[in-house]
Amino acid sequence: MTVKRQLEQAAQERETWVLRRQKGKPNNRRLWVCACMDERLPIDEALGIRGDRGDAHVFRNAGGIMTDDAIRSAMLSCRFFGTEEIVIVNHTECGMMAAHTDSVVQGLADQGVDPATVQLDPEVPELQLDPSAFGKWIRMFDDRSVDEICQAQVDYVRNHPLIPESVTVSGWIWEVETNSLRKPHERLAERVNTRDEMGGA
Amino acid sequence: MTVKRQLEQAAQERETWVLRRQKGKPNNRRLWVCACMDERLPIDEALGIRGDRGDAHVFRNAGGIMTDDAIRSAMLSCRFFGTEEIVIVNHTECGMMAAHTDSVVQGLADQGVDPATVQLDPEVPELQLDPSAFGKWIRMFDDRSVDEICQAQVDYVRNHPLIPESVTVSGWIWEVETNSLRKPHERLAERVNTRDEMGGA
Amino acid sequence: MTVKRQLEQAAQERETWVLRRQKGKPNNRRLWVCACMDERLPIDEALGIRGDRGDAHVFRNAGGIMTDDAIRSAMLSCRFFGTEEIVIVNHTECGMMAAHTDSVVQGLADQGVDPATVQLDPEVPELQLDPSAFGKWIRMFDDRSVDEICQAQVDYVRNHPLIPESVTVSGWIWEVETNSLRKPHERLAERVNTRDEMGGA
Amino acid sequence: MTVKRQLEQAAQERETWVLRRQKGKPNNRRLWVCACMDERLPIDEALGIRGDRGDAHVFRNAGGIMTDDAIRSAMLSCRFFGTEEIVIVNHTECGMMAAHTDSVVQGLADQGVDPATVQLDPEVPELQLDPSAFGKWIRMFDDRSVDEICQAQVDYVRNHPLIPESVTVSGWIWEVETNSLRKPHERLAERVNTRDEMGGA
Amino acid sequence: MTVKRQLEQAAQERETWVLRRQKGKPNNRRLWVCACMDERLPIDEALGIRGDRGDAHVFRNAGGIMTDDAIRSAMLSCRFFGTEEIVIVNHTECGMMAAHTDSVVQGLADQGVDPATVQLDPEVPELQLDPSAFGKWIRMFDDRSVDEICQAQVDYVRNHPLIPESVTVSGWIWEVETNSLRKPHERLAERVNTRDEMGGA
Amino acid sequence: MTVKRQLEQAAQERETWVLRRQKGKPNNRRLWVCACMDERLPIDEALGIRGDRGDAHVFRNAGGIMTDDAIRSAMLSCRFFGTEEIVIVNHTECGMMAAHTDSVVQGLADQGVDPATVQLDPEVPELQLDPSAFGKWIRMFDDRSVDEICQAQVDYVRNHPLIPESVTVSGWIWEVETNSLRKPHERLAERVNTRDEMGGA
Amino acid sequence: MTVKRQLEQAAQERETWVLRRQKGKPNNRRLWVCACMDERLPIDEALGIRGDRGDAHVFRNAGGIMTDDAIRSAMLSCRFFGTEEIVIVNHTECGMMAAHTDSVVQGLADQGVDPATVQLDPEVPELQLDPSAFGKWIRMFDDRSVDEICQAQVDYVRNHPLIPESVTVSGWIWEVETNSLRKPHERLAERVNTRDEMGGA
Amino acid sequence: MTVKRQLEQAAQERETWVLRRQKGKPNNRRLWVCACMDERLPIDEALGIRGDRGDAHVFRNAGGIMTDDAIRSAMLSCRFFGTEEIVIVNHTECGMMAAHTDSVVQGLADQGVDPATVQLDPEVPELQLDPSAFGKWIRMFDDRSVDEICQAQVDYVRNHPLIPESVTVSGWIWEVETNSLRKPHERLAERVNTRDEMGGA
């Protein structure tokens, strides 16, 4: 093969990478991820993907929850960018469990924040929130476990009209205390032989 | 040193890592990042941080823009989790530039989506959007360059009442065509000696 | 330095390694370990020692418990081989918790074993066990948690007349579900924010 | 393959590792090892196994001998945990050859230990030893070579009623002076051409 | 195979490498390269060749242009040394674009250089240049872009009577700002979605 | 240090690399090299420099000789780009020694080339060569050794009016048969004890 | 496979290595080497063998010549230890060429050595040398080139009655100036295009 | 530093390496080694030297004994090449112990060799051996252990008039069964606790 031909192929590959969106190319795994922004959640390790090789669209926010922004991002990925699978990753010891909504709202008030006067989205004033729901909008987990939260997000996305029905959806919990991923409600730490299980044996 | 003492220290370090939020510990760099969810944007490489060592809270959405969700996440990070710096990363060849808002809205309609009947956030029905602003809510860049978009996000966050004024804020553009980061409006590709610059020399 | 001198030093080092016991040299860390024989318990990784460099005397048996054999081995290590520290390592999901003593004794009977006629130690017939204590001798954990077992072993060794009082003693639990070591009763998995803790918050 | 399917497989593998005993899974090599606790005996290197990958149950005590504790541990491994092979490893220059039983007993007495009043097993008082056999219980090798000791342990385990007859049993000597394993009574150092062999040639 | 045979083969390979020109052997890729001498142009990386394994004849001068010396060198390579392909590599931000011819000539005059009295080639006085063409001989790019320059060099070499018509010829631009190679006039940086393209969309 | 500050520094370094010529920065070693284009001459290894890190301007042509193009390139490097040292590298077994000028000229004629009608430089017709000097222009070494050639190039560059007198100049021979560099006329192969030297001893 | 079987195989391999001579096993390549003792002659690299893996019997002396000791050693290797090939390696710049025999003898005399009274072999007084041949016994190369010396050694060994005729024999020169091996009289340094060859072309 | 200066230093170092003997430079360790030619004796590993970096003159023959050739080689190294230390390395399981002299002589006779007619050194006929000493000349160890052989070689070299008295001399045994070096008569294998030592304890 001539060097000319080799160089032409390399140039073509580079163009395809750089212009993926213009050319309508999906990401490698046709995957959209919703994960918490926590610094202890290593997305690549958790999912076995390469974040520096183009494997997935990775959405992350406080809690890893399906907010309107998450719906917007997933909608674009699935309806325009070729994505066919959604994976949601929450994690144990999430900051959203570090306090109750009431405490957070009070804490903001203590810092001089008045929710009633805040425009949530600086660019879209048409997005309005009933002031009474300000605490709810913050999305602390309160009396729900991370497993329940995770399952709820899966349900939200499965049933949302902006997300195509054909998309595969699954939810997972990253355990910061074990450095591993589990399904919701399938916590191995509860199944190892401690007194609770063995007491009745 | 006894082995006992060594093991106690190791156990203490593990506890501190796992219970960071409970113990009020910030992430390593006291950093909150807002970045696009694009698969070609390698956050670790771009910012010189370790995503698997606890360096930063990383928020990502379609476009890397300061939505209400971004404000919520940054507020929690800065006001409750010890963060003192915000970095915003947009990138060239973003999917948000791949089409105009009108085209996207029409594309959704073609797929059977009726914005007027959609509840944006599945869990917070109190979050309401005027149907006429549905296209705006999608946040295509339209006639704004990525540099203008980036600068706008910096301005939004600097001026938002939910974000403390003391936080350091900066905005950056990741160039997918050069694999490097630039400041907004400081594009090296426009400064290399092409005919445009040299023609008048 | 002459090569002769170098070779003499190397020969001396080799002699010291090979004849450690004859020369009254202790192991590197002056450490005796009692650990379970389980295949999922990586002693070197758990304790941060090198098993192939002479760091410690490592005793292991079913359960990692202070049997008469453990006492014998620790006595020799501490009283004659220079050991000054004892570390005990039990682990979660131990086989000793996989069944109750009654089930095990019955299982042996089903396999044709008659405890009343068995000489426990093939070489020391003078070691006698009251047949009624056969099940107890097997040492299933039964209604005790691994944390209680670990603490009990520490107590046994601290108070045994064959072990010098000056020896440092500590006990640890290896969590097979997290690949890490914890102190007894200090299980991180119980401290991460699950519904149980947060429900009352 | 979907990412969901990949994650399910990984979770399943983790569960199988953590819950091996509950699920009745044997160790990788279906192997139980009895070895001396000496710090110069590198079990992994000697047997070509991985101690950090779940290859074997490794029992170790002073001398690497088949005490009642060894019988107990091997019985559990073979009769309940799926083990089908037993390997016994003694080693040259063992501390058990560093002194004669009489010297050891006298040494203990010099340290104030009175065997007649000692309860050997802190948890099983029903385990009784005739005080006259105290020295024997310590298990110094005395006038037996390590090769004879090793062969004796093999015989003990082969003939013990608590160990199934179907188990494969072998005994080996680790030579600390050569860093290699030999069969009992097959010492290469005695076969190299020294004056003894060649004198008669 | 005997060691003798192995050594004979190795000696033969060495001889072939050392005496390539005497034996009429071409370089590995039958390739002649014309590239700029710039220190930021990594020829091996750019072309995917090994400069330390005999892959190509690499001609380099200021600008990477087809001077009489380049024609001479390419002629020898193609007509006598077995070369069948020519690759020309120019690069962005070339020093030849750093100033206009007039400035350079003036700069030389300022340094005391009088072109009219200079013999260009110290060994070939028969090579004469009309003094009025001195500035032209320096070869600044002036009002031509690097893409135009590159294409011009390809044309020169394709049409030169000293270069065989059968040789494959291609021209490339190394972008110092992206560390990658492009075809002339196919600059990716101009195709990424900036305001210019999207403004009319 | 803030991440913002780190990113600013990195962006500055990138800009300095890309815009070296615009900013008047020299190459790392302030070095201009003249070397043969031969595929067996590994410039980096020979000179101990990094060709992919910006160490030097590397001029290469057939023979590694100071043609008018070499003078032009060195002039630009030394007078405008900050270069302060010139290194010339010729090599043994050069193709320029593979035949005599007469043979080469005849070979070209055999291939249908008529020197009298050839315009040497496709872009500078003002560069004229007396047809009788065509063979001389090809620069075969003929009856000169590579050592003499190398020394001559050093002399040419030292005395040429377009090259500043302050520049350090040295010439070297790369031995393809030894993979090492020597000074001209200092060939080790002639100094090893062969019959010639020892015959008279 | 049982671990027992694995260990038996490993023990067998070790025995075969250690007792090679007793068991009549040849070296790996069935090779005997005669080489100079010079510190610049890397036998493994030169011959492509492993000196630490049992590849060859390596005889070395001053000069790499076939003395009576070399004949003795080769005889044992070929007639009793299974060797089938002999390789002789001399080298350029050998110390045996550093002076003439007369100078060496005089140098010894200057150091007080009287050859007439020296018993050459301390253990075999029956080995006698005519004092007049003392200088000859030292084996300086004198007026012979290393190529001639090498060829002579090959001839000696081919024709010696103590060496079996079936053995393959070859001779080689290691060039310390090129770090490579050549056949005698095939010196590449004499074939590269220097003035001597090209002068007549 | 200029590149010119760097290249001059590198050329000087190369010259010093290649012309060591001409320039009267010793080897790195000023060391001469006498070792057996056995393929299981890794000289570099045994002595901690680099055979490919110029550390030592390495003489090797069958047995590693001080023949007349060894004396000749050591004399040259010590008296003319700057050597100040001699190390002798014999090894266990040497082929010289594989049979008795009588067997070897008979074996040669069986292969048709008549010692009485053999000229030992092909080039020095003046070297004469009384035929009755032919067996002795072969140097089998017979009734001497390798330790005695090693000590004898040390004595030979210490007392030989051709070797300077100031040279440091030491002798070592490489144990092929332990892969380590020992002093003569200091065999660790005889000191590990075997029945012989412990029987009387």
Side-chain angles (χ1 to χ4, degrees), chain C residues 129-150:
Chain C
L129 179 73
D130 186 302
S132 68
F134 181 71
K136 191 176 183 181
W137 170 81
I138 297 174
R139 296 295 183 89
M140 302 312 285
F141 292 178
D142 287 355
D143 60 351
R144 287 177 296 176
S145 71
V146 68
D147 301 79
E148 289 167 331
I149 288 289
C150 183

Side-chain angles (χ1 to χ4, degrees), chain D residues 84-195:
Chain D
E84 297 174 354
E85 180 173 5
I86 288 177
V87 167
I88 296 168
V89 188
N90 299 282
H91 68 100
T92 59
E93 192 57 16
C94 183
M96 306 311 281
M97 294 184 283
H100 192 280
T101 296
D102 295 343
S103 305
V104 174
V105 171
Q106 184 60 47
L108 288 168
D110 292 349
Q111 294 182 44
V113 172
D114 177 3
T117 66
V118 171
Q119 175 184 317
L120 297 182
D121 186 325
E123 188 167 319
V124 188
E126 296 87 346
L127 191 71
Q128 295 285 336
L129 179 73
D130 187 303
S132 69
F134 181 72
K136 191 177 183 180
W137 170 81
I138 297 174
R139 298 295 184 88
M140 302 311 286
F141 292 179
D142 287 354
D143 60 351
R144 287 176 296 175
S145 70
V146 67
D147 300 79
E148 290 167 330
I149 288 290
C150 183
Q151 191 57 54
Q153 308 314 309
V154 171
D155 294 343
Y156 291 150
V157 80
R158 275 196 200 282
N159 300 315
H160 202 283
L162 289 178
I163 309 301
E165 292 183 12
S166 62
V167 172
T168 299
V169 184
S170 63
W172 301 85
I173 312 293
W174 176 257
E175 299 180 330
V176 295
E177 69 275 21
T178 68
N179 278 322
S180 57
L181 209 64
R182 74 162 187 263
K183 289 187 180 180
H185 303 298
E186 299 202 0
R187 192 186 187 206
L188 272 181
E190 287 170 358
R191 299 174 64 192
V192 298
N193 285 313
T194 57
R195 182 157 50 178

Side-chain angles (χ1 to χ4, degrees), chain G residues 93-165:
Chain G
E93 191 59 15
C94 184
M96 306 311 279
M97 292 184 283
H100 191 280
T101 297
D102 295 343
S103 305
V104 175
V105 171
Q106 183 61 46
L108 288 168
D110 291 349
Q111 294 182 44
V113 172
D114 176 5
T117 66
V118 171
Q119 176 183 318
L120 297 183
D121 187 324
E123 188 168 320
V124 188
E126 297 87 347
L127 190 72
Q128 295 286 336
L129 178 72
D130 186 304
S132 68
F134 181 71
K136 191 176 183 183
W137 169 81
I138 298 175
R139 296 293 184 91
M140 303 310 286
F141 292 178
D142 288 353
D143 60 351
R144 287 177 297 175
S145 69
V146 67
D147 299 80
E148 289 167 330
I149 287 289
C150 183
Q151 191 57 54
Q153 308 313 310
V154 171
D155 294 343
Y156 290 151
V157 81
R158 273 195 200 281
N159 300 317
H160 201 284
L162 290 177
I163 308 302
E165 292 183 10

Side-chain angles (χ1 to χ4, degrees), chain A residues 14 16-23 25-28 32 35-43 45 50-81 92-96 98 103-105 107-108 111 113 115 117-130 132-134 136-140 144 149 152-153 156-157 160-162 164 176-179, chain B residues 14 16-23 25-28 32 35-43 45 50-81 92-96 98 103-105 107-108 111 113 115 117-130 132-134 136-140 144 149 152-153 156-157 160-162 164 176-179:
Chain A
R14 184 184 165 230
T16 300
W17 170 264
V18 170
L19 303 183
R20 273 193 173 189
R21 282 305 89 73
Q22 284 193 51
K23 290 173 175 286
K25 302 280 182 190
N27 61 51
N28 301 349
W32 183 84
C36 183
M37 70 182 187
D38 194 275
E39 80 268 28
R40 291 160 300 167
L41 174 38
I43 294 294
E45 178 186 345
R50 289 291 301 263
D52 58 347
R53 289 286 187 277
D55 275 2
H57 292 141
V58 179
F59 176 97
R60 303 183 69 172
N61 66 11
I65 54 185
M66 292 303 300
T67 58
D68 70 304
D69 197 8
I71 291 295
R72 176 184 71 88
S73 300
M75 172 192 79
L76 287 167
S77 184
C78 296
R79 291 196 180 274
F80 296 99
F81 304 155
T92 59
E93 193 57 15
C94 183
M96 306 311 280
S103 305
V104 175
V105 170
L108 288 169
Q111 295 183 45
V113 172
T117 66
V118 171
Q119 176 184 318
L120 298 183
D121 186 325
E123 188 167 320
V124 187
E126 296 86 347
L127 191 71
Q128 294 287 334
L129 178 72
D130 186 304
S132 68
F134 182 71
K136 192 176 183 182
W137 170 81
I138 298 174
R139 299 292 185 88
M140 303 310 287
R144 286 175 296 173
I149 287 290
Q153 308 314 310
Y156 291 150
V157 80
H160 203 283
L162 290 178
V176 295
E177 69 276 21
T178 68
N179 277 323
Chain B
R14 183 184 166 231
T16 300
W17 170 264
V18 170
L19 304 183
R20 275 193 172 190
R21 282 304 90 72
Q22 284 193 52
K23 289 173 176 287
K25 302 280 182 191
N27 60 51
N28 301 348
W32 183 85
C36 183
M37 70 183 187
D38 194 276
E39 80 269 27
R40 290 160 300 168
L41 174 39
I43 296 294
E45 177 187 344
R50 289 292 300 261
D52 57 346
R53 290 286 186 276
D55 275 1
H57 292 141
V58 179
F59 176 96
R60 303 183 70 171
N61 65 11
I65 54 185
M66 292 303 300
T67 58
D68 70 304
D69 197 7
I71 291 295
R72 178 185 68 89
S73 300
M75 171 192 78
L76 287 167
S77 185
C78 296
R79 293 198 179 272
F80 296 99
F81 305 155
T92 59
E93 191 58 14
C94 183
M96 305 312 279
S103 305
V104 174
V105 171
L108 288 169
Q111 294 183 43
V113 172
T117 66
V118 171
Q119 176 183 317
L120 297 183
D121 186 323
E123 188 168 319
V124 188
E126 297 86 348
L127 191 71
Q128 295 286 336
L129 178 73
D130 186 303
S132 68
F134 181 70
K136 191 175 183 183
W137 170 81
I138 298 175
R139 295 293 183 92
M140 303 311 286
R144 287 177 296 175
I149 287 290
Q153 309 313 311
Y156 290 150
V157 81
H160 202 283
L162 291 177
V176 295
E177 70 275 22
T178 68
N179 278 321

Side-chain angles (χ1 to χ4, degrees), chain E residues 163-174:
Chain E
I163 309 302
E165 292 183 11
S166 61
V167 171
T168 299
V169 184
S170 62
W172 302 85
I173 312 292
W174 176 256

